[in-house]
């Protein structure tokens, strides 16, 4: 049995890819003719971002922002730390922030305020998942993959205690 046989599938690899094609087409249309910088928020969004940029048919550049939120294994405290900063300035650029999931919204709220001080021309958010039932900070997600109920999900980049990121689908842990 695979190492992830304790997971129940929420979104299959095929469902994820189909949704990414739709998001990519929408982003391609919205940013036509513009110079786009895609920021992958590490670590959770690295798989999503790698598939998403291949669905965006525009010239673009990619950068990475490492963040870590202090807290337990399944909860965030809202205290966010930048563990690895962008490699280049973003002033005057159209920025698309790519996240794995917006849960309480605390991480994204922090990131938006931090990135805004760097004077980009515009900032939009693309998140694969949103858990609106747990929102503490209201964050407008411009491009969202799926809205999910209040469950802890792993796979396709998302982890539980750094495990399960390499699971090809998004699943719920049944026993923990
Ligand atoms: P926030 O609560 O919106 O600040 O989310 C902070 C971070 O917690 C997200 O970027 C994820 O990395 C992580 N996270 C939130 N919910 C889940 C989940 O269900 N599975 C795995 N990681 C999660
Ligand atoms: Mg994350």
């Amino acid at each position: 049995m695979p190492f992830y046989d304790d997971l129940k599938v929420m979104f299959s690899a095929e469902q994820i890819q189909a949704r990414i094609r739709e998001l990519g087409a929408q982003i391609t249309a919205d940013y036509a003719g513009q110079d786009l910088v895609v920021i992958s928020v590490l670590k959770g969004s690295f798989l999503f971002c790698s598939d998403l940029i291949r669905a965006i048919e525009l010239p673009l550049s990619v950068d990475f922002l490492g963040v870590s939120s202090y807290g337990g294994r399944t909860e965030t405290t809202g205290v966010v730390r930048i563990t690895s900063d962008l490699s280049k300035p973003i002033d005057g650029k159209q920025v698309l922030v790519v996240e794995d999931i917006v849960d309480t919204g605390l991480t994204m709220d922090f990131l938006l305020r931090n990135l805004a001080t760097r004077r980009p021309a515009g900032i939009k958010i693309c998140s694969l998942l949103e858990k609106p039932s747990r929102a503490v900070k209201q964050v407008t997600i411009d491009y969202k993959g799926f809205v999910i109920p209040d469950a802890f999900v792993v796979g396709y980049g998302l982890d539980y205690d750094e495990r399960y990121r390499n699971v090809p689908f998004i699943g719920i842990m049944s026993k923990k």
Side-chain angles (χ1 to χ4, degrees):
M1 288 299 274
F3 64 94
Y4 47 77
D5 60 358
D6 54 337
L7 300 183
K8 199 167 125 254
V9 178
M10 184 181 267
F11 301 109
S12 68
E14 293 72 25
Q15 283 176 298
I16 295 168
Q17 292 306 319
R19 188 70 188 112
I20 288 175
R21 282 193 292 274
E22 293 174 350
L23 292 172
Q26 210 183 328
I27 294 166
T28 301
D30 291 354
Y31 283 98
Q34 297 185 69
D35 197 9
L36 184 62
V37 180
V38 175
I39 296 179
S40 170
V41 182
L42 298 175
K43 302 175 190 167
S45 82
F46 80 112
L47 289 182
F48 173 46
C49 193
S50 71
D51 285 335
L52 181 70
I53 57 172
R54 283 176 283 182
I56 301 174
E57 296 179 26
L58 294 172
L60 55 80
S61 63
V62 185
D63 210 341
F64 299 93
L65 188 59
V67 300
S68 164
S69 38
Y70 291 108
R73 286 174 180 170
T74 61
E75 292 277 328
T76 178
T77 54
V79 181
V80 183
R81 191 165 53 104
I82 292 186
T83 56
S84 167
D85 206 355
L86 298 176
S87 66
K88 287 205 169 140
I90 52 167
D91 56 291
K93 306 280 189 191
Q94 289 293 347
V95 169
L96 181 66
V97 181
V98 177
E99 251 290 30
D100 51 356
I101 185 165
V102 175
D103 182 20
T104 61
L106 291 165
T107 302
M108 191 49 85
D109 181 69
F110 168 87
L111 283 182
L112 287 178
R113 282 185 287 112
N114 182 291
L115 294 174
T117 64
R118 309 183 196 198
R119 311 226 168 274
I123 307 184
K124 282 193 186 181
I125 301 171
C126 179
S127 183
L128 178 61
L129 303 173
E130 183 192 24
K131 243 190 258 182
S133 56
R134 291 184 25 100
V136 174
K137 290 276 183 190
Q138 291 304 324
V139 174
T140 304
I141 303 171
D142 302 282
Y143 306 98
K144 96 179 67 157
F146 304 100
V147 176
I148 64 167
D150 183 8
F152 194 80
V153 291
V154 294
Y156 193 66
L158 293 113
D159 73 304
Y160 170 71
D161 207 13
E162 295 299 330
R163 288 177 58 220
Y164 298 107
R165 292 196 198 274
N166 58 330
V167 173
F169 57 86
I170 292 170
I172 307 180
M173 282 188 294
S174 50
K175 40 183 184 209
K176 222 174 31 189

